[in-house]
């Protein structure tokens, strides 16, 4: 009996057409040509960012591909949220060890779920064979002169952080077998790690309120150091004001919860400074968006000096360590 014919292997271009070609919302020419054609709206500046995720460095090789598709785009969306920009276009470059159709289909499903959530067109990219590496360049728009940078903070401005920093770090510790959590806490922490929720609406609403801002990707204190450097300020962070309750409820002890909030990465929450006179506006914004905003300290006039205020009022030096790819 003759054997069945072997199915033809999909080419690079077949994979792109099948999994990464979608109708676009606001792109004149997208996937399928030598370059995309984009049209920025009048009065807008383009905000552009690139992030790369590498297997074994940024994610486990066995990470669910749909979650990975979501996160690959979400971490880039968060960069635009941190500048008060609206994401519009993304370009995806993939290095894949092999053309695994099921894996690619699940990855694309997660990626487009994130794109649809935030109104983003996939406008182009590239694929090649190689160690699993995922790279996105994202473009967004922000009204001329309205972008929130890291450089606008001033002594006396209050420090705020959104949501629940530290959950992703606790999720990573769980996956690495460093801590055991109850089922509900484990699921919530792993979801924070694998499916971060970029704060786009918050970033846009903070235009004109926040003086300096970034997203927490490499640890709160480490990332705060970038604001201090760019704004030429120092900071005092109040330990008693840190949002620890959710981590304690998930199963972390007090010491681990504190370490995760101050030093854990992958949260993609927004850390920002704002004048003390705008405190009521920020609290009102928190209620309107349904996003907890925690006032955790203030900027000071001592450039580069980061201190922690303990619950008893003592000031101790704060370590500005964060994740370093070459550390």
């Amino acid at each position: 009996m003759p054997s069945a014919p072997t199915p033809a292997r999909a080419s690079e271009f077949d994979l792109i057409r099948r999994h990464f070609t979608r109708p676009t919302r606001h792109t004149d020419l997208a996937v399928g040509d030598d370059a995309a054609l984009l049209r920025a709206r009048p009065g807008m500046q383009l905000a552009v960012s690139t992030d790369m995720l590498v297997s074994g460095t940024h994610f486990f090789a066995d990470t669910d591909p749909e979650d990975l598709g979501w996160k690959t785009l979400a971490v880039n969306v968060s960069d635009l949220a941190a500048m008060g920009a609206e994401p519009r276009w993304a370009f995806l470059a993939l290095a894949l060890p092999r053309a695994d159709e099921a894996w690619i289909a699940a990855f694309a499903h997660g990626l487009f779920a994130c794109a649809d959530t935030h109104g983003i067109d996939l406008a182009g990219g590239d694929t090649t064979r190689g160690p699993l590496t995922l790279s996105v360049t994202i473009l967004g728009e922000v009204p001329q002169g309205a972008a929130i940078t890291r450089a606008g903070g001033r002594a006396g401005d209050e420090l705020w952080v959104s949501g629940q920093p530290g959950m992703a770090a606790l999720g990573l510790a769980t996956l690495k077998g460093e801590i055991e959590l109850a089922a509900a806490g484990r699921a919530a922490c792993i979801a924070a790690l694998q499916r971060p929720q970029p704060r786009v609406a918050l970033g846009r609403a903070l235009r004109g309120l926040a003086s300096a801002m970034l997203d927490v990707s490499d640890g709160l204190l480490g990332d705060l150091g970038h604001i201090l450097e760019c704004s030429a300020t120092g900071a005092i962070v109040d330990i008693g004001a840190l949002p620890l309750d959710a981590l304690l409820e998930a199963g972390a002890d007090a010491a681990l919860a504190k370490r995760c909030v101050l030093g854990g990465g992958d949260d993609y929450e927004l850390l920002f400074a704002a004048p003390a006179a705008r405190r009521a506006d920020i609290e009102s914004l928190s209620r309107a968006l349904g996003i907890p905003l925690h006032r955790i300290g203030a900027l000071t006039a001592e450039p580069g000096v980061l201190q922690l205020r303990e619950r008893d009022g003592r000031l101790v030096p704060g370590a500005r360590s964060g994740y370093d790819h070459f550390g």
Side-chain angles (χ1 to χ4, degrees), residues 178-292:
E178 296 172 354
I179 184 173
E180 289 289 334
L181 301 177
R186 175 184 171 87
C189 291
I190 292 175
L193 175 68
Q194 308 288 38
R195 290 258 180 167
Q197 303 297 316
R199 302 296 194 180
V200 175
L202 175 60
R204 293 175 63 186
L206 284 169
R207 296 175 193 158
L209 287 176
S211 57
M213 184 161 66
L214 47 62
D215 66 334
V216 180
S217 57
D218 295 326
L220 191 152
L221 291 186
D223 286 327
L224 174 57
H226 300 309
I227 289 180
L228 304 190
E229 180 179 359
C230 293
S231 295
T233 64
I236 294 176
V237 174
D238 288 306
I239 297 301
L242 296 177
L244 303 179
D245 288 351
L247 302 185
L248 298 174
E249 291 169 5
D253 61 31
L256 178 58
K258 177 181 170 182
R259 288 200 304 273
C260 286
V261 168
L262 291 178
D266 262 358
D267 291 305
Y268 303 99
E269 296 289 358
L270 297 184
L271 174 65
F272 62 94
R278 307 307 300 268
R279 184 188 300 176
D281 296 320
I282 292 171
E283 291 171 343
S284 176
L285 179 60
S286 175
R287 293 188 294 270
L289 295 179
I291 298 172

Side-chain angles (χ1 to χ4, degrees), residues 43-47 80-86 141-150 202-213:
M44 294 287 190
Q45 284 181 296
L46 288 178
L80 296 193
M83 299 195 77
E86 177 186 352
E141 294 177 328
V142 61
Q144 186 79 31
I148 307 167
T149 72
R150 302 174 178 185
L202 175 60
R204 293 175 63 186
L206 284 169
R207 296 175 193 158
L209 287 176
S211 57
M213 184 161 66

